[in-house]
Amino acid sequence: DGGITQSPKYLFRKEGQNVTLSCEQNLNHDAMYWYRQDPGQGLRLIYYSQIVNDFQKGDIAEGYSVSREKKESFPLTVTSAQKNPTAFYLCASSPQGAGAYEQYFGPGTRLTVT
Amino acid sequence: RKEVEQDPGPFNVPEGATVAFNCTYSNSASQSFFWYRQDCRKEPKLLMSVYSSGNEDGRFTAQLNRASQYISLLIRDSKLSDSATYLCVLTNNAGNMLTFGGGTRLMVKP
């Protein structure tokens, strides 16, 4: 089945540790996105990539890093520099690099940092 | 002012009721508009696009008012399964990025 997978579903880390969230898609989409969602708030864009080996900062990129070595994969690293990393992280992809149109989301990863 | 504003709710309605949500936006150059649905602790999914002429999909009707910069979603004959958070979403000037509202929570009671 085509879709986006994110793993793990729940992740717990100690403060000061870097953690990498996985995002894989087999939809052959060019564009991929990372968002975070906090309770009662809308999704905020962390990073996006419209093509392999290229990515751009979103609205809240500080404390995060990404890579796009393969079309199918767009991992997100939450570094120790991120002040409030506990959140729900959503990865998405869309079929056109230049047009967001419908974005397809993965099931998300809930990260808790203590 | 937030780019996209929604009443967070919750809207508590009985089954069979008609309920409407509004969403206001600040960027008059936004190109496209959507309603996404998000179930509790799940990912958002596209519910419907919103066109200037208004559009309907079964029990759901979406309207766009560019002059007043708001969009609306009307749900008729509410079902228990309609309980979710409804996100107002629009694109930026270039049409290549999405901006999400905080969502309106709907709870349909038996």
Side-chain angles (χ1 to χ4, degrees), chain A residues 1 9 11-12 16 22 27 33 37 44 50 56 79 109:
Chain A
D1 283 4
K9 192 170 181 178
L11 191 55
F12 298 88
S22 165
L27 300 168
Y33 311 82
Q37 187 176 34
R44 291 184 290 166
Q50 295 187 335
Q56 307 295 328
T79 75
T109 292

Short mmCIF file of all heavy atoms in Angstrom, two decimals, chain A residues 1 9 11-12 16 22 27 33 37 44 50 56 79 109:
data_model
loop_
_atom_site.label_atom_id
_atom_site.label_comp_id
_atom_site.label_asym_id
_atom_site.label_seq_id
_atom_site.Cartn_x
_atom_site.Cartn_y
_atom_site.Cartn_z
N ASP A 1 0.85 -1.20 0.00
CA ASP A 1 0.00 0.00 0.00
C ASP A 1 0.87 1.23 0.00
O ASP A 1 1.90 1.27 0.65
CB ASP A 1 -0.86 0.01 1.26
CG ASP A 1 -2.03 -0.96 1.14
OD1 ASP A 1 -2.08 -1.65 0.13
OD2 ASP A 1 -2.85 -1.00 2.05
N LYS A 9 6.12 5.60 16.97
CA LYS A 9 4.89 6.34 17.26
C LYS A 9 5.07 7.18 18.53
O LYS A 9 4.59 8.31 18.62
CB LYS A 9 3.74 5.35 17.46
CG LYS A 9 2.37 6.01 17.49
CD LYS A 9 1.28 4.96 17.44
CE LYS A 9 -0.09 5.64 17.44
NZ LYS A 9 -1.18 4.66 17.35
N LEU A 11 8.09 8.33 21.50
CA LEU A 11 9.52 8.37 21.75
C LEU A 11 9.77 9.18 23.02
O LEU A 11 9.23 10.28 23.18
CB LEU A 11 10.22 9.02 20.56
CG LEU A 11 11.73 8.95 20.48
CD1 LEU A 11 12.23 7.52 20.58
CD2 LEU A 11 12.20 9.60 19.19
N PHE A 12 10.59 8.60 23.89
CA PHE A 12 10.92 9.28 25.14
C PHE A 12 12.43 9.47 25.20
O PHE A 12 13.18 8.55 24.91
CB PHE A 12 10.45 8.44 26.34
CG PHE A 12 8.95 8.24 26.36
CD1 PHE A 12 8.38 7.18 25.68
CD2 PHE A 12 8.14 9.12 27.04
CE1 PHE A 12 6.99 6.99 25.69
CE2 PHE A 12 6.76 8.95 27.05
CZ PHE A 12 6.18 7.88 26.37
N GLY A 16 18.93 16.92 26.62
CA GLY A 16 20.35 16.96 26.26
C GLY A 16 20.73 15.94 25.21
O GLY A 16 21.85 15.97 24.69
N SER A 22 12.02 9.27 12.05
CA SER A 22 12.05 8.73 10.70
C SER A 22 10.77 9.10 9.94
O SER A 22 9.68 9.16 10.52
CB SER A 22 12.18 7.20 10.79
OG SER A 22 11.86 6.60 9.57
N LEU A 27 5.05 7.16 -2.15
CA LEU A 27 4.06 7.77 -3.03
C LEU A 27 4.71 8.43 -4.24
O LEU A 27 4.02 9.01 -5.09
CB LEU A 27 3.25 8.82 -2.24
CG LEU A 27 2.48 8.27 -1.04
CD1 LEU A 27 1.97 9.41 -0.16
CD2 LEU A 27 1.33 7.39 -1.51
N TYR A 33 7.66 17.45 4.05
CA TYR A 33 7.56 18.52 5.05
C TYR A 33 7.60 17.93 6.46
O TYR A 33 7.15 16.82 6.69
CB TYR A 33 6.22 19.25 4.91
CG TYR A 33 5.87 19.70 3.51
CD1 TYR A 33 5.30 18.80 2.61
CD2 TYR A 33 6.09 21.00 3.10
CE1 TYR A 33 4.97 19.19 1.31
CE2 TYR A 33 5.76 21.40 1.81
CZ TYR A 33 5.20 20.49 0.92
OH TYR A 33 4.88 20.88 -0.35
N GLN A 37 3.17 20.01 16.19
CA GLN A 37 1.87 20.45 16.67
C GLN A 37 1.89 20.40 18.19
O GLN A 37 2.20 19.38 18.78
CB GLN A 37 0.74 19.57 16.12
CG GLN A 37 -0.65 20.09 16.46
CD GLN A 37 -1.74 19.24 15.83
OE1 GLN A 37 -1.62 18.05 15.67
NE2 GLN A 37 -2.85 19.90 15.44
N ARG A 44 2.92 23.88 12.77
CA ARG A 44 3.94 24.86 12.41
C ARG A 44 5.05 24.16 11.62
O ARG A 44 5.53 23.10 12.02
CB ARG A 44 4.50 25.52 13.67
CG ARG A 44 3.48 26.43 14.36
CD ARG A 44 4.09 27.14 15.55
NE ARG A 44 4.38 26.23 16.66
CZ ARG A 44 5.15 26.54 17.69
NH1 ARG A 44 5.71 27.74 17.77
NH2 ARG A 44 5.35 25.67 18.66
N GLN A 50 11.79 20.23 -1.44
CA GLN A 50 11.01 20.10 -2.68
C GLN A 50 11.70 19.17 -3.67
O GLN A 50 11.11 18.80 -4.69
CB GLN A 50 10.77 21.47 -3.29
CG GLN A 50 9.89 22.34 -2.40
CD GLN A 50 9.49 23.65 -3.05
OE1 GLN A 50 10.16 24.15 -3.93
NE2 GLN A 50 8.38 24.20 -2.60
N GLN A 56 14.75 23.47 2.85
CA GLN A 56 14.64 24.87 3.28
C GLN A 56 14.09 24.94 4.70
O GLN A 56 13.29 24.09 5.10
CB GLN A 56 13.69 25.64 2.36
CG GLN A 56 14.01 25.54 0.88
CD GLN A 56 15.34 26.19 0.54
OE1 GLN A 56 15.74 27.16 1.19
NE2 GLN A 56 16.02 25.67 -0.46
N THR A 79 17.62 18.35 18.02
CA THR A 79 18.88 18.47 18.74
C THR A 79 18.66 18.99 20.16
O THR A 79 17.56 19.49 20.49
CB THR A 79 19.86 19.40 18.01
OG1 THR A 79 19.44 20.76 18.20
CG2 THR A 79 19.92 19.07 16.52
N THR A 109 4.75 11.21 15.23
CA THR A 109 5.56 10.70 16.35
C THR A 109 5.37 11.65 17.52
O THR A 109 5.54 12.86 17.37
CB THR A 109 7.06 10.66 15.99
OG1 THR A 109 7.29 9.66 15.00
CG2 THR A 109 7.90 10.33 17.22
#
